[in-house]
C-alpha cells in the first residue's frame, strides 16, 4: 500500500517494484478473518480505497516463500461468519451473480459492492469498479461458513469469476493478538505455539 511504502521509505527500507522480482522472501498480511484449523483466510471484505486490489494482494502472497497472517483473537475462529468478496467481469455481472448464488442458495445473499452510498443487491447507482475494470460481489453468508476451502472451490467453477478473497497458500503462519499477548500458529496443528 501507499501507506506502507511511505513508512518503509521513512525507515530507510529500500523499495522495489513487484514486476522486477518473481520471488518474495517474506510477506505478511492483516487478513479480515482466518479459519482456525486450516489458517485459510479471507481478504478484501472492507471497502477498497484508492488503488488497493484483491488480485494484486493475492499475487504478492502467492509469490512469498514465507507467509504470515496477522489477526486479533476475535478474527481467528471456527464457524466463520460474514462475507467473501468475489472479483468478477463487469459484463453480464447479474448473470454471474446468479450463478454464484446457486450453490449457496438459502445460505447466502450476493450483492454488488457500491463505490459510494449504501450497499444493495444491485450495487446502487454507482457500483465499484476496480483498477482492473472489474466489479466486486459480496457473498454475504446468513449462516456459519462450514469450509472456506469448499467455498473457494465453488467460486472457482463459475465462469466470469476473476478472483476471490479466500487465501489458501500453504505453508503459512498466523500471529494472533489477544489481551494476554501473542500466539504464533502454523497450519500444521502439531506445530502450534501458544494457545488461543
Amino acid at each position: 500500500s501507499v501507506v506502507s511504502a511511505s513508512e518503509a521509505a521513512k525507515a530507510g527500507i529500500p523499495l522495489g517494484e513487484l514486476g522486477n522480482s518473481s520471488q518474495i522472501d517474506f510477506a505478511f498480511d492483516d487478513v479480515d478473518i482466518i479459519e482456525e484449523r486450516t489458517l485459510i483466510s479471507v481478504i478484501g471484505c472492507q471497502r477498497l480505497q484508492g488503488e488497493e486490489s484483491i488480485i494484486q494482494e493475492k499475487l504478492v502472497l502467492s509469490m512469498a516463500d514465507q507467509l504470515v497472517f496477522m489477526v486479533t483473537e476475535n478474527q481467528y475462529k471456527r464457524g466463520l461468519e460474514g462475507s467473501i468478496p468475489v472479483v468478477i467481469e463487469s459484463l453480464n455481472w447479474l448473470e454471474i451473480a446468479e450463478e454464484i448464488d446457486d450453490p449457496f442458495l438459502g445460505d447466502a445473499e450476493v450483492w454488488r459492492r457500491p463505490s459510494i452510498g449504501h450497499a444493495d443487491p444491485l450495487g446502487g447507482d454507482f457500483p465499484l469498479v476496480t483498477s482492473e475494470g472489474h466489479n466486486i460481489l459480496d457473498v454475504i453468508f446468513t449462516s456459519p461458513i462450514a469450509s472456506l476451502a469448499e467455498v473457494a472451490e465453488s467460486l472457482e467453477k463459475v465462469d466470469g469469476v476473476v478472483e476471490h478473497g479466500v487465501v489458501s497458500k500453504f505453508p503459512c503462519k498466523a500471529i494472533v493478538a489477544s489481551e494476554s499477548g501473542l500466539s504464533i500458529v502454523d497450519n500444521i496443528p502439531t506445530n502450534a505455539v501458544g494457545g488461543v
Side-chain angles (χ1 to χ4, degrees), residues 1 4 16-30 43 51-69 132 163 167 169 171:
S1 73
S4 296
E17 292 292 324
L18 181 60
N20 294 339
S21 172
S22 60
Q23 185 58 49
I24 297 173
D25 296 326
F26 176 80
F28 62 92
D29 203 358
D30 57 340
I43 61 170
E51 293 300 310
E52 294 169 347
S53 165
I54 292 171
I55 295 170
Q56 185 166 351
E57 187 172 350
K58 285 187 75 172
L59 175 64
V60 169
L61 297 177
S62 72
M63 293 169 63
D65 277 345
Q66 296 182 52
L67 177 57
V68 175
F69 298 130
E132 299 96 355
E163 190 56 270
V167 179
K169 177 167 190 308

Side-chain angles (χ1 to χ4, degrees), residues 92-172:
N92 301 322
W93 75 269
L94 192 52
E95 289 83 2
I96 298 168
E98 289 171 357
E99 193 173 340
I100 288 171
D101 191 39
D102 286 346
F104 308 117
L105 202 58
D107 293 325
E109 297 179 11
V110 179
W111 288 19
R112 186 165 63 158
R113 190 177 291 185
S115 59
I116 59 172
H118 297 288
D120 67 35
L122 300 179
D125 294 330
F126 304 99
L128 179 71
V129 178
T130 69
S131 57
E132 299 96 355
H134 305 299
N135 284 157
I136 294 181
L137 299 178
D138 288 305
V139 181
I140 305 164
F141 285 85
T142 54
S143 58
I145 303 168
S147 166
L148 281 176
E150 289 176 13
V151 170
E153 187 178 327
S154 294
L155 292 172
E156 289 162 5
K157 292 178 181 175
V158 176
D159 286 338
V161 168
V162 177
E163 190 56 270
H164 54 74
V166 178
V167 179
S168 57
K169 177 167 190 308
F170 296 101
C172 63

Side-chain angles (χ1 to χ4, degrees), residues 31-34 40-45 80 83-85 148 165-167:
V31 297
D32 296 308
I33 197 161
I34 194 164
I40 296 174
S41 63
V42 178
I43 61 170
C45 293
L80 303 180
S83 65
I84 295 177
L148 281 176
V166 178
V167 179

Side-chain angles (χ1 to χ4, degrees), residues 165-187:
V166 178
V167 179
S168 57
K169 177 167 190 308
F170 296 101
C172 63
K173 293 183 180 181
I175 298 176
V176 184
S178 67
E179 289 185 11
S180 60
L182 297 177
S183 295
I184 301 172
V185 184
D186 67 25
N187 59 352

